Amino acid sequence: MNLKKVLTWLVVAFVLFYVIQAPESSAELVRTAGVALGDAASSLAQFVGSLV
């Protein structure tokens, strides 16, 4: 196994552990990330719209 594959599995294991140990916190983290991505997409759409 190469280092990249080992690190990938370690990250996956950590994420699963975090979700199992603190589901409320992980749900809030995902919710916050979704809102941030939505805001970024909206801002980008507004910028592109203002160019036309």
Side-chain angles (χ1 to χ4, degrees), residues 2 5 7-8 10 14-15 19-20 23 28 30 33 36 39-40 48-49:
N2 58 18
K5 198 177 246 188
L7 288 176
T8 301
L10 285 174
F14 177 74
V15 168
V19 168
I20 291 169
E28 184 61 33
V30 170
D39 289 346
V48 171

Side-chain angles (χ1 to χ4, degrees), residues 5-31:
K5 198 177 246 188
V6 170
L7 288 176
T8 301
W9 280 110
L10 285 174
V11 168
V12 168
F14 177 74
V15 168
L16 287 174
F17 175 76
Y18 182 70
V19 168
I20 291 169
Q21 290 297 327
E24 296 87 11
S25 298
S26 57
E28 184 61 33
L29 180 68
V30 170
R31 189 176 303 114

